[in-house]
Amino acid sequence: MRELIQANAKLKFDGSRKVKVTGREGTEEYLEIVVRDGKKFRMEYLNSERREGQIVVDDGVDRYQFFPKASSGPIILKTPSLPLERFSNIAGMLDGRRDSVKVTHTDGPKIAGYDTKVITFGDGSRAVQKIWYDAKRKAVLKRESNFGGQKTVWEYQTFSYRQSVPANKFKLDRDVRIITPEDVLAKEAGNLGMTPFALTPPSGFRLERVWVSTHPDRKSKILNSRYVNGPRFMMLTISKEPLPKPPQRGGGERDGGRRGPRMMPFKWQKDGHHLTLWGMGEPKDLERLSRHVHPWQPPKGRRTS
């Protein structure tokens, strides 16, 4: 898997791929137009009722997603870049059971005109991920993942390697409002009557996503935020009541799967809030990072909504 990630992080190509997502809410099929230049990535959605017109541009540092039909009007959501390494967390898909991961290698069919090899990852009873890649240059041409009650399959219908890719492919110029996860954190905290505590930049982590879930007591809410540092991630939860365990939803494929039992908590209280950092590190590492948790303040001169 490491070899595939390293190879794809250097490739230049474009193509179109068909996507099929099957889950609890039914099945959705659509097309993605993809351009890659190493760690830079662009994707446009076609033939999708929910995603039509959306564009994703990742310049290797930041990721910009254009939503033309957001409820508040067209916006761009700016988040940290999504590294290829995130999709290698097979143990995460198997609830952290790294020792149970089984890997098989076989020959595959031609895809978009290229001979392929197949890698299958599973636990002996189910395959959580299958990858079909170009046998010569290692580009991933098809991917199937099964976890969290959802099956996602994408496969390139057309695919071409390129010597170069125009730099403007990785710019998203739209005269619309740019929203950050910090904006969402501040808004949701305000709605819940909470302080928008955040893991601040000196920690080395960046805020990627914010969502609200229901506390196990069924009476109150939890404000969840996910932070990333390359392929590493952790969570910060804020609640008015103690939280016995990490929320089970809200991570999804961007985390590489559901969180396993190795997620360790570090808990403390501040200003009437119960704060918990959930991570894969040692307790002393989480305690050190907790010193970088402070109420978020918008940069001077920047307006928020």
Side-chain angles (χ1 to χ4, degrees), residues 46-96:
L46 298 177
N47 301 335
S48 170
E49 184 176 342
R50 292 197 302 125
R51 300 176 175 87
E52 189 73 30
Q54 292 184 23
I55 302 173
V56 177
V57 170
D58 193 322
D59 63 13
V61 177
D62 295 305
R63 187 178 182 90
Y64 301 87
Q65 188 163 359
F66 174 55
F67 294 92
K69 301 177 182 178
S71 59
S72 59
I75 61 168
I76 289 176
L77 177 63
K78 178 184 177 182
T79 58
S81 174
L82 179 60
L84 288 166
E85 290 85 354
R86 192 85 65 86
F87 297 106
S88 68
N89 183 18
I90 307 302
M93 297 182 188
L94 293 170
D95 297 330

Side-chain angles (χ1 to χ4, degrees), residues 51-254:
R51 300 176 175 87
E52 189 73 30
Q54 292 184 23
I55 302 173
V56 177
V57 170
D58 193 322
D59 63 13
V61 177
D62 295 305
R63 187 178 182 90
Y64 301 87
Q65 188 163 359
F66 174 55
F67 294 92
K69 301 177 182 178
S71 59
S72 59
I75 61 168
I76 289 176
L77 177 63
K78 178 184 177 182
T79 58
S81 174
L82 179 60
L84 288 166
E85 290 85 354
R86 192 85 65 86
F87 297 106
S88 68
N89 183 18
I90 307 302
M93 297 182 188
L94 293 170
D95 297 330
R97 304 191 307 276
R98 186 175 300 277
D99 294 340
S100 69
V101 177
K102 307 296 182 184
V103 184
T104 59
H105 299 262
T106 58
D107 291 329
K110 276 187 177 293
I111 295 178
Y114 297 88
D115 293 323
T116 66
K117 299 285 186 180
V118 186
I119 306 178
T120 302
F121 301 89
D123 61 1
S125 62
R126 63 187 176 109
V128 297
Q129 182 163 252
K130 294 180 70 174
I131 293 173
W132 291 254
Y133 63 93
D134 175 12
K136 292 183 178 180
R137 299 184 63 179
K138 304 293 192 271
V140 175
L141 299 174
K142 180 179 179 180
R143 181 172 179 260
E144 175 184 314
S145 58
N146 296 273
F147 58 88
Q150 179 172 292
K151 178 179 180 179
T152 302
V153 182
W154 57 252
E155 178 178 349
Y156 278 95
Q157 311 297 298
T158 63
F159 184 92
S160 299
Y161 290 104
R162 301 299 181 189
Q163 291 295 320
S164 62
V165 178
N168 62 8
K169 288 290 186 181
F170 307 106
K171 295 183 183 297
L172 189 52
D173 295 323
R174 295 289 190 281
D175 186 20
V176 300
R177 191 160 47 106
I178 296 178
I179 302 296
T180 68
E182 287 81 5
D183 295 327
V184 179
L185 175 67
K187 180 179 179 180
E188 294 293 1
N191 291 340
L192 296 172
M194 295 181 179
T195 300
F197 288 101
L199 190 57
T200 53
S203 68
F205 283 80
R206 295 179 62 190
L207 180 57
E208 182 185 62
R209 184 164 179 250
V210 177
W211 71 100
V212 176
S213 59
T214 301
H215 193 280
D217 65 12
R218 301 294 180 184
K219 299 178 182 178
S220 57
K221 297 293 183 180
I222 306 166
L223 183 55
N224 309 274
S225 51
R226 181 175 63 226
Y227 295 82
V228 295
N229 182 352
R232 298 174 58 202
F233 70 92
M234 62 173 41
M235 284 177 55
L236 172 66
T237 57
I238 308 170
S239 60
K240 293 295 184 68
E241 302 295 333
L243 186 63
K245 61 182 179 179
Q248 294 299 305
R249 302 295 297 175
E253 190 166 342
R254 289 171 64 90

